[in-house]
Amino acid sequence: MVGITGYGAYIPRHRIKVEEIAKVWGADAQAYKKGLFVEEKSVPGPDQDTITMSVESAFSALKRAQIDPKKIGAVYVGSESHPYAVKPSGTTVAEAIGATPDVHCADFEFACKAGSEAMFVCLGLVGSGSIEYGLAIGADTSQGAPGDALEYTAAAGAAAFIMGKDNIIAEAIDTYSFMTDTPDFWRREYQFYPRHASRFTGDPAYFKHILGAGKAMLEKVKMEPKDFQYAVFHQPNGKFPQRVGRLLGFEKKQIETGLLCPKLGNTYSGSSPMGLTAILDEAKPNDLIFMVSYGSGAGSDAFVWRVTERINQVRDSAVKTREMLNNNKSYLEYGTYAKYRGKIRKGE
Amino acid sequence: MSSPRYWRGIPQRYRLEAGKCKRCGKIYFPPRLVCDECKGREFEKVNLPKEGKILTYTIIRVAPSQCTDQAPYAMGIVELSAGSTGKDGVKILSQIADCDFDKLEIGMPVRIEFRKIYQEGEAGIICYGYKCVPI
Amino acid sequence: MRDVAIIGVGMNKWGELWEDSLRDIFTEAALLAIEDAGVDHIDSMYIGCMSSGLFVGQEHLSSLLSDYLGMGPIPAARVESACCSGGLALRTGFIDVASGMNDIVLVGGVEKMTDVSVGGATFALSTAADQEYEVYHGVTFPGLYALMARAHMHKYGTSRKQLAQVAVKNHFHGSMNPLAQYPQKITAEEVIESVMVADPLRILDCSPITDGAAAVILAPLDLAKKISKKPVVKIIGSGHATDTIALHSRNDLTEIKSTERAAKIAYEMAGKSPEEIHLAEVHDCFTIAEICVIEALGFVEKGKGGPATEHGITALSGKIPVNTSGGLKSKGHPVGATGVAQAIEITKQLRGEAGERQVKNAKVGLTQNMGGSGGSSLVHIMEVV
């Protein structure tokens, strides 16, 4: 049996509302809120980045896993906003948690599914017996170009999972990966903001791959949507995951718990992983969770998880995701938000 | 900030590794070679507790050049101690992040969080370390 | 040990001296001191300077300044203890004469701070604090003293207005000092409404960035009595102590222990108690510093520094006038020169040469100079012979 032994998430304190962004660009806030099903998004402070959030989410995962960090055999951070282009985020995370030096480390990237990739690979390494525990993190502080539709949703957050064979709280029943070359959303080297192909990012990209991976996953494990208590999908906005869930055969109440986007925004590589942490915060033993991520470029990783008895023992050992989402919020106006996000051009 | 100098301090910057005198138990952060209490020369590695309380604070409004974008920010001398044993803990100086300035007060409980301290412009290294946040 | 006297003083006007380089500023003050002493040779020289390297890229001041002084290839040394480099130069010169090693010793201090930007100056000054555990985290010197101020206000009820009164008093004194950088009088309201730098300290709570130099000539007392045409001022006590470099390493954040210890040593050596001191020049790098220092020197009880200032105890007309020169606040603070300039003010006062700001019947004076947030302190006591 292989699966999650510890999990944790991190959400920065700051938020900005859709109205505040729309005001600056002369856009219709209500139309955006309705169209995207998003009200506000998280904003990282000037002293926060993918690495700092990864470290804090990893500490929470360690609190729940209750293991010696030196037993972690691999540290993988998946992001599309790694602070360095060359120097893995994982090295700093591994040092901060005290896992070095006998550890494998690599950074992952695949747009928004870099986090689920790290999870996918850790499960494989633990399952094959190569490592005892693997730390997989999905974290992002992605940028949306000013005035672009993505600016309303590009948010910040992290989720960390420690995979292992012992003391599992959610067993990985199976995984599936589905991938094609699809230029729906990308960022060239040295460019500050990403670009996207507008409506092309929908059916031929997001929906095709989640449906592709989702259907194949259900077939592989010979289960139906009604067998699951929870389902979580990549959340670029609040609408897409609800629609793709419906298309796969899931109901609203199965998707609700893991749907963080309306109040969080799109945390990119953290998106479906963070949704999973919110589910684990309340799931009961034997609950089945269906998870499909999506990364532009494009591909999806699907997972089927079964919660174990042990979840009740460790769930309360660290902060819960919706606690961070709902409490202690600090709302920014656009000027401060732009300053924090480095969108204001300064002299050298 | 030079790479060797940054790197040498990582155990303290990231993990708050301190040294405890084997003879008299006094804890030093950062670790030292000699205990000034008992002149002992042997120490064991300990990690500082990650919770404490504010002993004094200020708000830096005119910041040093590497931090100008973060100004104004609060800083405090924080006594880190394991829970509320009432025993004197080790004191550190750090920024106090994610706090409302009006709510700052002496005695306020805080905990350690891993944050970015500053970066060397657009192309230099990024320096991380500890800050305190209100509990 | 021989007795040591100050027989000459020299100081130029302090300020932003754009036309003058470090070597010009120092040489000018040194020559004034030599003239005042009426000597025709120097046996050795000590220079207090915090960081000529960071400010003007120049080290090896021992060679540079003895070269430019034109008094021959004399032994010279630069000494450094951050903001009390000047006080340390005085002590080092004192030891040189007291030991019998040399007779006529020039003690000077200099700092040229305006060739770099304000950011560059702030960085250079920050090297007086703990680089890894204070400066790394984004603290500034106003920040460190602000932490002290808040702790003092919390523990003793020292008020914002009492802090301001230190600045008001020192500017009033400085208005009578033709060499001061900022001889303007200011009011408590102006201090309290000035720009906030690090809560609760505002810009008018802080000493400025200054170019300047100061020099004194030391001689053995016996020789001084023979050759000096002016009243001879004897150094009767010298105390030196250090403390932890980081503010947070100290047990009581409201005390300056290095000053307490240095003062104790100086008082013992001089055979004097705080009550017997007629006036003092202290290190008011920030208003709170003066309050903590007068407590550390034993002029007032712990915690009473604020009320003492408020009630005029340390004013020119008060029981123990402090900083009649204007202090660092009004006179300026070219870091390495400050400690020496303090000795000059006391000497002038003890000689009766202080003009408008003369303290009546001044016979015994004290200087207190400290580095960083109190990591080192030098205290000297002088008596007119």
Side-chain angles (χ1 to χ4, degrees), chain C residues 4-338:
Chain C
V4 182
I6 298 175
I7 61 170
V9 302
M11 189 170 150
N12 33 34
K13 179 157 169 34
W14 286 3
E16 289 172 307
L17 309 176
W18 304 113
E19 323 256 314
D20 300 313
S21 69
L22 183 144
R23 56 188 92 172
D24 294 334
I25 298 170
F26 182 84
T27 309
E28 192 186 297
L31 291 175
L32 285 170
I34 289 169
E35 202 183 301
D36 188 56
V39 294
D40 62 6
H41 72 279
I42 300 288
D43 294 330
S44 73
M45 174 163 82
Y46 294 95
I47 305 138
C49 180
M50 175 174 166
S51 193
S52 50
L54 288 176
F55 285 118
V56 298
Q58 178 72 62
E59 303 287 14
H60 210 183
L61 292 187
S62 54
S63 172
L64 175 72
L65 298 179
S66 85
D67 182 357
Y68 273 67
L69 188 59
M71 290 259 149
I74 56 174
R78 165 168 155 230
V79 298
E80 179 272 327
S81 192
C83 325
C84 61
S85 298
L88 181 59
L90 181 63
R91 180 174 170 87
T92 313
F94 169 81
I95 292 171
D96 200 14
V97 177
S99 67
M101 195 74 177
N102 280 299
D103 287 341
I104 312 287
V105 172
L106 175 78
V107 167
V110 63
E111 211 77 48
K112 172 74 186 164
M113 301 173 75
T114 58
D115 280 357
V116 293
S117 64
V118 171
T122 307
F123 168 69
L125 291 171
S126 78
T127 58
D130 185 326
Q131 286 308 297
E132 309 300 342
Y133 297 94
E134 292 185 303
V135 179
Y136 180 74
H137 289 275
V139 81
T140 55
F141 263 101
L144 287 171
Y145 278 90
L147 289 165
M148 251 192 251
R150 189 167 299 285
H152 203 275
M153 289 160 105
H154 180 81
K155 188 169 179 182
Y156 296 116
T158 303
S159 70
R160 174 60 266 198
K161 186 144 189 243
Q162 288 164 349
L163 291 180
Q165 276 156 344
V166 172
V168 171
K169 164 181 75 75
N170 291 349
H171 271 270
F172 173 67
H173 294 166
S175 70
M176 298 181 273
N177 184 350
L179 300 179
Q181 179 180 17
Y182 291 116
Q184 299 87 331
K185 292 186 201 160
I186 60 175
T187 64
E189 288 68 43
E190 281 171 319
V191 178
I192 293 170
E193 282 162 22
S194 62
V195 164
M196 185 77 85
V197 175
D199 296 39
L201 298 182
R202 297 180 179 261
I203 190 84
L204 290 179
D205 286 300
C206 310
S207 56
I209 287 175
T210 320
D211 297 332
V216 299
I217 307 290
L218 303 181
L221 184 62
D222 293 337
L223 180 60
K225 284 182 186 162
K226 279 197 212 111
I227 66 173
S228 188
K229 298 186 176 59
K230 301 197 173 179
V232 167
V233 172
K234 181 176 156 193
I235 298 177
I236 59 173
S238 173
H240 183 194
T242 54
D243 194 353
T244 64
I245 185 165
L247 175 63
H248 62 266
S249 300
R250 299 181 201 153
N251 286 328
D252 188 328
L253 303 173
T254 64
E255 289 181 351
I256 303 186
K257 279 275 185 247
S258 65
T259 290
E260 269 182 53
R261 290 182 195 120
K264 185 159 182 272
I265 296 168
Y267 284 134
E268 247 173 66
M269 184 174 160
K272 296 276 183 213
S273 67
E275 293 72 40
E276 295 172 270
I277 306 293
H278 296 144
L279 76 157
E281 285 285 295
V282 310
H283 198 88
D284 60 322
C285 45
F286 299 91
T287 49
I288 181 65
E290 181 170 314
I291 288 180
C292 293
V293 166
I294 59 177
E295 293 172 11
L297 290 171
F299 293 158
V300 298
E301 263 175 56
K302 283 271 162 67
K304 296 278 197 276
T309 308
E310 188 173 21
H311 296 129
I313 307 234
T314 52
L316 184 56
S317 51
K319 192 173 128 205
I320 165 106
V322 170
N323 284 336
T324 54
S325 64
L328 280 59
K329 181 75 195 67
S330 162
K331 166 160 57 56
H333 182 35
V335 181
T338 284

Side-chain angles (χ1 to χ4, degrees), chain A residues 77-95:
Chain A
V77 178
S79 179
E80 52 180 282
S81 54
H82 289 291
Y84 290 92
V86 175
K87 186 180 178 298
S89 302
T91 58
T92 305
V93 175
E95 277 288 1

Side-chain angles (χ1 to χ4, degrees), chain A residues 271-290:
Chain A
S271 187
S272 49
M274 287 174 79
L276 176 62
T277 66
I279 291 170
L280 291 171
D281 282 341
E282 37 170 278
K284 289 187 285 305
N286 287 312
D287 279 352
L288 279 170
I289 306 169
F290 190 76

Side-chain angles (χ1 to χ4, degrees), chain B residues 1 5-6 12-13 30 56-62 64 73 75 77 91 93 95 106 117-118 127-128 130, chain C residues 131-140 143-144 146-147 150-151 154 196-199 247-248 250 253:
Chain B
M1 167 63 73
R5 200 181 122 204
Y6 175 72
Q12 283 68 51
R13 300 189 207 287
T56 182
Y57 63 91
T58 183
I59 296 156
I60 305 284
R61 297 192 188 262
V62 179
Y73 50 89
M75 291 201 71
I77 291 182
K91 300 196 282 287
L93 173 67
Q95 286 187 29
I106 292 179
I117 305 296
Y118 67 95
C127 299
Y128 295 95
Y130 49 84
Chain C
Q131 286 308 297
E132 309 300 342
Y133 297 94
E134 292 185 303
V135 179
Y136 180 74
H137 289 275
V139 81
T140 55
L144 287 171
L147 289 165
R150 189 167 299 285
H154 180 81
M196 185 77 85
V197 175
D199 296 39
L247 175 63
H248 62 266
R250 299 181 201 153
L253 303 173

Side-chain angles (χ1 to χ4, degrees), chain A residues 293-305:
Chain A
S293 67
Y294 172 72
S296 289
S300 282
D301 298 320
F303 304 81
V304 170
W305 308 97

